[in-house]
Structures are given as structure tokens and as C-alpha cells.
Amino acid sequence: MSVAAGQTEIVVCPDAAALAAEAADRIVAAAREAISHSGRFTLVLSGGSTPERTYTLLAQSPRREQIDWSRAWLFFGDERFVPHDDPRSNYHMAQQSLLKPAAIDPTHVLAISTNLETPAQCAAQYESSLRHFFDLDADNSFPEFDLVLLGLGDDGHTASLFPGKPSLDEKRTWITWSPPGTLPPPVERITFTLPLINPAREGVPLVSGAAKAAVVQEIREGPPDLHKRPASGVRPAGKLTWLVDESAAKLLSRERGT
Ligand code: 6PG
């Protein structure tokens, strides 16, 4: 079902395996549409554990052949301030599950470097590499990514935008840093800001498991409260497609998906 710009769709899948397949198929479809429309596909990868299965499917046949990776550019919505070979690194997870198995050209992967002295320096460096990529160096405008994948923490955080943190009030900065949140791993972060997420053509929160059911219900059916539930601030200019599995959707009363 196609969704009008600015609208939201929630898709409930039977389980985590079906969720991963649905997400992978939607990424393939979005890639094809973007490449035929503008000649390239810009995909922002999410961290955490939930997307790993989706990345693995994208690196396997038949989906691997269904995307023209030579026209796809991959970015990271957030990163933990640890070395890239650290198992807690989002880059490490993506490298193992997608980038290496699909032999993605490293020049098409804009990872968040974590080898500078502070997360603030890493954030500034990543912002300048993105501004260079989109040729928006000094401009006040924001780029429009084709698809931004997002996770959801049990506390309602998304990317590394944690409840009550100053990063939530950023208006002009594209990339910022954050002290650790309350959930593991207790490390500093580098993260997209909401002003960089929200111009996207599509935002896709990918949510699995009963532990997320209460926060999904609160965000989907309660009043938006950015500082309490940061994911409620995700409002892409294009469409917002919540992909959730049955366990994460079990408390939703009003909308049960299509
Ligand atoms: C991170 C993520 C974070 C993650 C959520 C959900 O670096 O931790 O980007 O936002 O998506 O915490 O994590 P799980 O998928 O592991 O539940």
C-alpha cells in the first residue's frame, strides 16, 4: 500500500524472521525506485542488534543481485565511541553482516570514524564529510536521504538520541555527540540529529520483541513527548513506515497494521 508524503504506515510481521525479510524487501524496493528516479540510493544504516538479520538477507541472493550497489551509498545513523573492530561498534556489525559478505565498495560506505580524541571531534568530522558528499558545505539546508533505518530502545531512544539529552534540541547541527544513555553499552555516541533525519524520503523504525511493546504503544498511541520518548520526534518529510513484529505490536490497540 503506497503511503502519501508525511503519512505513517505500521506493518506488523508475525516474527523477527518475517520482519527482517519485510525490511530487506522494502530496502530493495526503495533502492530501485531511488536509482530509477535520481540515479542513486542513499541509505542510512541503523545500529543495535535488530537490523543485523536484515543486513544478512541483503548480502545474500536473491536480494544482493536486486540492488545495483554501484549506485548505492551507505551511511551510519549513529555509532558507539569505540574502535571499528570492537564488537560493540555499529560499523563492525554492518561490516560482518553486509559490507564484507556483499563486497560493497568501501568508497560507497561513509562510516563514522571513531579514531579521533573525542566523540565531539568525530561528530564534526562526520558532518563535514556528509556536507562534502551532498555539496552543502556552508548551507543551512539539510540533505534528503532516501531511506533512514532506525532502531528503538526500550526507553524510547532512537539512533543515539537518548531521553532528556541536549542532542534532542539541536536545530542546525547535522551530527552531534551524546553521553551514554541508560541502556547498554555505556559508551559515548556520535549520532544523526532529528533535523538531519526528518527531511528523509522515508524513515523506517525496525522494532522487534516484547520488551519494546510498551514503548511502541506509547509512541504510536500516546501524546508525542520528545524528551521522554525521542523516537516520537521522528517525522520524515516523506513517509514513516514502522516495521514491527507481533511481540512488539502486542499492546497496540488502535492500529494493527495492514
Ligand atoms: C545503537 C542504536 C540504537 C539501537 C536501539 C535498539 O547504536 O545502540 O543505534 O538506537 O537501534 O538501542 O537496539 P536493539 O536493536 O539492539 O534492541
Side-chain angles (χ1 to χ4, degrees):
M1 175 178 94
S2 65
V3 173
Q7 286 204 345
T8 299
E9 179 187 13
I10 186 157
V11 177
V12 180
C13 302
D15 55 31
L19 179 71
E22 178 75 27
D25 288 340
R26 283 173 178 260
I27 291 168
V28 167
R32 292 180 142 188
E33 201 230 327
I35 291 168
S36 68
H37 184 253
S38 64
R40 76 176 183 192
F41 177 52
T42 52
L43 171 64
V44 181
L45 299 176
S46 167
S49 57
T50 307
E52 189 165 358
R53 224 169 168 158
T54 298
Y55 300 161
T56 304
L57 291 175
L58 286 172
Q60 293 167 348
S61 292
R63 294 181 184 89
R64 176 176 163 172
E65 291 77 30
Q66 292 167 345
I67 294 181
D68 177 355
W69 295 102
S70 73
R71 292 177 174 279
W73 299 83
L74 306 183
F75 306 82
F76 284 78
D78 69 328
E79 184 58 280
R80 291 95 180 260
F81 189 52
V82 294
H84 280 178
D85 58 3
D86 185 305
R88 297 168 297 174
S89 157
N90 289 335
Y91 176 81
H92 184 266
M93 181 272 284
Q95 171 76 337
Q96 301 301 314
S97 56
L98 173 61
L99 307 179
K100 217 185 316 185
I104 306 268
D105 175 350
T107 65
H108 281 232
V109 179
L110 281 79
I112 300 175
S113 146
T114 54
N115 57 17
L116 299 178
E117 238 171 81
T118 68
Q121 288 170 351
C122 298
Q125 185 195 57
Y126 196 53
E127 176 159 338
S128 76
S129 65
L130 293 184
R131 283 182 176 276
H132 183 69
F133 178 88
F134 287 104
D135 197 18
L136 290 173
D137 285 315
D139 203 310
N140 280 340
S141 61
F142 291 87
E144 197 188 288
F145 289 93
D146 293 306
L147 197 151
V148 178
L149 264 183
L150 293 159
L152 180 70
D154 305 6
D155 60 355
H157 81 258
T158 191
S160 284
L161 298 166
F162 299 119
K165 299 287 191 237
S167 52
L168 292 167
D169 300 318
E170 290 288 350
K171 296 283 178 280
R172 293 162 51 100
T173 309
W174 292 17
I175 306 289
T176 190
W177 77 279
S178 174
T182 53
L183 297 171
V187 294
E188 292 167 307
R189 309 294 184 96
I190 301 107
T191 183
F192 270 38
T193 59
L194 283 169
L196 184 61
I197 290 171
N198 282 337
R201 296 183 63 213
E202 185 168 11
V204 179
L206 199 55
V207 190
S208 173
K212 310 269 171 81
V215 74
V216 167
Q217 194 270 339
E218 214 180 307
I219 292 170
R220 293 295 327 138
E221 298 180 351
D225 185 336
L226 177 61
H227 271 265
K228 189 160 168 256
R229 302 287 178 236
S232 64
V234 175
R235 300 179 184 290
K239 52 186 177 176
L240 176 59
T241 313
W242 281 76
L243 298 182
V244 299
D245 64 12
E246 269 299 342
S247 325
K250 70 177 182 189
L251 299 178
L252 289 175
S253 53
R254 247 198 345 257
E255 50 195 359
R256 297 288 298 145
T258 56

